[in-house]
Amino acid sequence: RMYVGIDGNSYPSVTSILSKSNRSDSLRLWKEREIARLGEDEFKRQNQETLKSGTHIHSLIQQYLTQEFWCIDEVEVKSGGEEENSEDVIYSDGDPPPRFVHDDAIVPDLDSYTSKVQGFWKSVHPVLQEISRVDVVESSVFHSTLGYAGTIDCIAEYQGELRIIDWKTSRRRKYGIKDTFDNPLQLAAYTGALYTDTRYPDYVN
């Protein structure tokens, strides 16, 4: 996945860079183990189901935080998906991201979603209820010096502190940072880009 910034230059995504780094060995070994256990066809089927569920839960979170709602048929178009090997080119319009008032938020309609997605929602909803202010939802960020880009899922006040948030799904419970592979590096990269992207002057300090 590549991003094109307001300067016209192309930037590789953070996830693309991490997928080609040496630190992705743990993910490769996990994939090999799962294919050996499930078979390649079943692994692909489950992986596609997981990606689709991830796209859907991201959409539900986005709807909840922005209070802008759409039907399930529009999810893939609006959310952009989370498939890390996508060859999409994402263009920045150069505008600062909108800000959202988050007060007495309405929960999206879950009836059209699978039980897995509804389970993800049940897990994340208590976290969302502790968000008091939403500044950014699904917005691109660029690091022009180091030459990379990405999409920040959310910048919001959580438990009284402003945080960069990246939503992740998993088929298994994660018990610590070491179980999250390259996710902390992804957040660190977004933080670095946030401090250099001129569209986000409020976050430099």
Side-chain angles (χ1 to χ4, degrees):
R1 174 173 286 183
M2 298 293 292
Y3 290 73
V4 177
I6 56 176
D7 56 6
N9 292 323
S10 296
Y11 299 84
S13 71
V14 172
T15 51
S16 296
I17 294 169
L18 290 176
S19 70
K20 293 176 172 58
S21 71
N22 291 331
R23 291 183 62 88
S24 65
D25 283 349
S26 56
L27 285 172
R28 178 181 57 80
L29 293 172
W30 167 83
K31 181 178 178 179
E32 291 175 355
R33 287 195 303 270
E34 290 296 289
I35 289 175
R37 183 174 69 88
L38 300 170
E40 189 162 0
D41 289 344
E42 178 61 15
F43 173 79
K44 287 181 178 178
R45 187 195 69 78
Q46 290 192 15
N47 193 49
Q48 287 301 314
E49 182 181 303
T50 299
L51 288 171
K52 187 173 183 179
S53 296
T55 297
H56 284 172
I57 192 62
H58 269 77
S59 169
L60 287 171
I61 293 170
Q62 184 176 354
Q63 291 176 60
Y64 179 80
L65 293 177
T66 63
Q67 292 294 280
E68 297 172 359
F69 302 100
W70 52 85
C71 66
I72 192 170
D73 293 336
E74 300 176 275
V75 167
E76 280 77 10
V77 175
K78 287 182 176 292
S79 69
E82 290 295 314
E83 187 170 357
E84 294 185 0
N85 294 323
S86 169
E87 296 300 324
D88 293 344
V89 176
I90 300 174
Y91 294 87
S92 169
D93 58 14
D95 292 331
R99 294 190 175 187
F100 302 95
V101 175
H102 191 259
D103 188 26
D104 298 326
I106 300 171
V107 175
D109 183 7
L110 304 175
D111 290 344
S112 300
Y113 293 87
T114 65
S115 59
K116 177 181 284 189
V117 173
Q118 292 182 25
F120 285 149
W121 177 262
K122 184 178 180 181
S123 173
V124 77
H125 188 218
V127 175
L128 296 174
Q129 289 179 305
E130 294 199 59
I131 289 178
S132 57
R133 186 187 96 197
V134 182
D135 283 6
V136 173
V137 176
E138 295 286 341
S139 186
S140 61
V141 64
F142 296 84
H143 199 307
S144 56
T145 303
L146 296 181
Y148 66 81
T151 298
I152 292 178
D153 286 348
C154 183
I155 300 177
E157 274 192 8
Y158 171 69
Q159 295 183 339
E161 292 187 19
L162 196 63
R163 302 173 189 263
I164 299 174
I165 302 171
D166 196 70
W167 308 110
K168 299 294 185 185
T169 59
S170 175
R171 286 179 292 202
R172 293 188 176 91
R173 182 182 293 273
K174 305 294 186 182
Y175 292 96
I177 291 292
K178 64 181 179 62
D179 298 321
T180 61
F181 301 112
D182 288 328
N183 298 161
L185 285 178
Q186 187 178 351
L187 280 172
Y190 290 164
T191 302
L194 187 69
Y195 289 163
T196 65
D197 193 320
T198 57
R199 295 172 300 155
Y200 301 89
D202 293 349
Y203 302 106
V204 173
N205 294 324

